[in-house]
Amino acid sequence: MKGSDSHSGVFLIKYFSLMTKRFQQSDFWCDFKCAHGWNKISEGGVNVLVRTFKKAFFGFSLAYIPLAPERDVGEGDEAYISRLGEFSARLKKALPKNTLCIRYDIPFDFSSVEERDSFVARTAELSKKTGVQIKKNKVDIQPPDSTWLELSKTEEELLASMKNKWRYNVRYAAKHDVIVRAVTAESADFEKDLDSFYELYKTTASRDGIGLHPKSYYKDLLERGSVSEKSASDSSERTRITLYIASHEGEDLAAIITLFQHGEAIYLYGCSGNNKRNLMPAYLVQWTAIRDAKAYGSKIYDFYGMPPTDDENHPMRGLYLFKAGCGGAHVHRPGSYDIQLSPLYSLYTLAENARAFWHKKVMKKVRGR
């Protein structure tokens, strides 16, 4: 794996194959999404998110299953796809009658792009062999490419796994009085810090041509994290949501929001301003979160989304370099797959693909002018 430790990558992928639930399948995350437009159905231990769209007398629904069901030990690709077909047939009975499709983010963690692409290329063959009408969607919901840090390492080992320049940047920021504060919904200045985060996020969205949720979305997430920290009786069910803000001489420069659970820690959202970027605040804020995730007991730190390779022509190559330089093992997933339930599905995917093209190609060029 280019830019990562292959032994660590194999360990992490084996570790995740033994996990029973990822954060996207946790009740915490699904209940949060239900507060923002989704409904939840549980089928065979799998959380299914359903969203209904209505306009006048016309309406339809979509069913979405993030990173589930997991592959059974020793289960081959063909057997897994067959099981998805059987699961979908059972689930269909519990879904609204106007549901267009069931969308899966298949939880296969490959250690190379070639392995992932080989699986994707065989989708049509697997569909034909199993009789399951499953197809790769052009729009992925969960980021298919990421890099994971193994948190069983010591802090010294984690720093040593970073590129030299990354270690230097972490120490440079600390040496030049960049300060990182951890904010929760119970912090004294929570509302003020949330406002600061959102202003930084708007700056990032404008600069990089990305979308963002309303401020209330991030506020709700942080507030739910505080409730989970207090109310979960079982530590394995506990979720911590933290806003980290890096500042210098009273000016906030960069911020991230993280999710910590027993199995994994996730870098969910990140942003930075345009001032004092030479002080490297983004490096110190990440390092602070990594150390806290390790202390919390999370097994991995997932940087959650980046380009698949170090492609010089990729518009987000800078994001790849930043995350890959932190020393993790690269992971590649197949992305989103659909099982069609309605003839109207084809019309929906045409509209969905057109919308994705507009936002990713046209609007990014307009913003870049």
Side-chain angles (χ1 to χ4, degrees):
M1 290 179 292
K2 185 178 179 180
S4 61
D5 186 308
S6 60
H7 174 75
S8 179
V10 171
F11 170 85
L12 292 172
I13 289 170
K14 286 184 177 178
Y15 166 74
F16 250 113
S17 71
L18 298 176
M19 280 192 65
T20 57
K21 186 177 291 187
R22 309 188 190 219
F23 92 89
Q24 297 94 337
Q25 277 291 311
S26 68
D27 288 335
F28 172 89
W29 186 255
C30 290
D31 289 344
F32 167 63
K33 299 304 287 185
C34 285
H36 298 273
W38 295 85
N39 293 305
K40 182 176 72 173
I41 297 173
S42 293
E43 173 65 37
V46 173
N47 281 331
V48 181
L49 294 172
V50 180
R51 190 154 198 169
T52 299
F53 302 86
K54 288 185 178 180
K55 189 170 184 179
F57 297 102
F58 177 73
F60 64 90
S61 299
L62 302 171
Y64 171 54
I65 303 177
L67 294 176
E70 296 285 351
R71 191 202 295 261
D72 291 336
V73 176
E75 185 176 40
D77 295 343
E78 187 174 333
Y80 178 84
I81 296 300
S82 292
R83 185 157 61 89
L84 278 194
E86 295 166 1
F87 179 84
S88 300
R90 295 196 305 272
L91 176 61
K92 183 179 179 180
K93 299 174 183 178
L95 295 174
K97 291 182 179 179
N98 59 354
T99 303
L100 301 185
C101 69
I102 302 172
R103 179 162 295 175
Y104 293 89
D105 267 306
I106 293 182
F108 290 3
D109 306 311
F110 296 105
S111 58
S112 72
V113 173
E114 291 76 19
E115 288 178 296
R116 186 264 307 282
D117 290 350
S118 175
F119 173 81
V120 172
R122 290 190 297 112
T123 298
E125 176 190 349
L126 290 169
S127 176
K128 185 176 181 180
K129 282 185 175 181
T130 60
V132 178
Q133 299 303 308
I134 187 169
K135 60 177 292 187
K136 178 74 178 74
N137 195 278
K138 292 182 180 179
V139 179
D140 292 320
I141 307 301
Q142 300 298 322
D145 303 283
S146 187
T147 186
W148 296 343
L149 286 177
E150 181 186 341
L151 295 180
S152 62
K153 295 179 179 180
T154 65
E155 289 187 10
E156 291 74 19
E157 288 171 332
L158 287 170
L159 275 173
S161 68
M162 293 183 179
K163 290 185 177 180
N164 290 336
K165 181 63 174 177
W166 271 238
R167 287 195 301 275
Y168 173 82
N169 288 344
V170 168
R171 291 164 177 156
Y172 182 89
K175 181 179 179 181
H176 288 79
D177 300 321
V178 174
I179 298 171
V180 177
R181 63 187 185 275
V183 178
T184 69
E186 296 189 338
S187 299
D189 294 325
F190 171 62
E191 295 286 351
K192 179 181 176 182
D193 288 332
L194 181 65
D195 288 344
S196 181
F197 160 79
Y198 202 65
E199 288 303 311
L200 287 170
Y201 215 149
K202 286 194 292 186
T203 298
T204 300
S206 176
R207 182 181 64 227
D208 298 341
I210 60 175
L212 72 165
H213 296 285
K215 184 169 61 176
S216 58
Y217 181 91
Y218 307 102
K219 180 179 181 181
D220 184 38
L221 178 60
L222 284 154
E223 289 176 341
R224 286 173 182 269
S226 290
V227 172
S228 177
E229 276 281 276
K230 291 180 180 178
S231 61
S233 56
D234 185 346
S235 62
S236 65
E237 298 296 325
R238 191 175 300 141
T239 300
R240 175 185 294 177
I241 306 293
T242 309
L243 166 62
Y244 291 93
I245 302 178
S247 63
H248 179 260
E249 295 180 347
E251 181 182 3
D252 293 337
L253 306 177
I256 64 173
I257 291 179
T258 61
L259 177 151
F260 295 172
Q261 291 183 344
H262 178 72
E264 54 185 330
I266 312 293
Y267 163 34
L268 285 175
Y269 307 107
C271 52
S272 61
N274 294 325
N275 296 334
K276 300 183 180 180
R277 302 182 76 176
N278 60 303
L279 294 180
M280 307 301 169
Y283 294 84
L284 186 60
V285 78
Q286 284 291 346
W287 175 238
T288 303
I290 290 166
R291 293 177 65 194
D292 285 357
K294 177 178 172 58
Y296 185 81
S298 299
K299 303 301 187 294
I300 69 163
Y301 187 89
D302 186 349
F303 282 88
Y304 202 47
M306 66 182 196
T309 62
D310 181 11
D311 181 357
E312 293 184 357
N313 297 316
H314 198 288
M316 300 298 286
R317 182 173 183 258
L319 184 68
Y320 176 94
L321 295 174
F322 174 73
K323 294 185 176 184
C326 291
H330 298 342
V331 179
H332 309 278
R333 296 187 180 121
S336 299
Y337 281 76
D338 292 347
I339 291 183
Q340 178 178 337
L341 301 181
S342 166
L344 295 176
Y345 165 78
S346 298
L347 291 176
Y348 172 77
T349 54
L350 282 175
E352 185 179 49
N353 293 337
R355 181 178 182 273
F357 177 82
W358 175 260
H359 284 282
K360 291 183 178 181
K361 302 293 185 181
V362 178
M363 291 307 296
K364 276 199 173 184
K365 285 184 178 180
V366 170
R367 292 188 187 104
R369 289 176 182 172

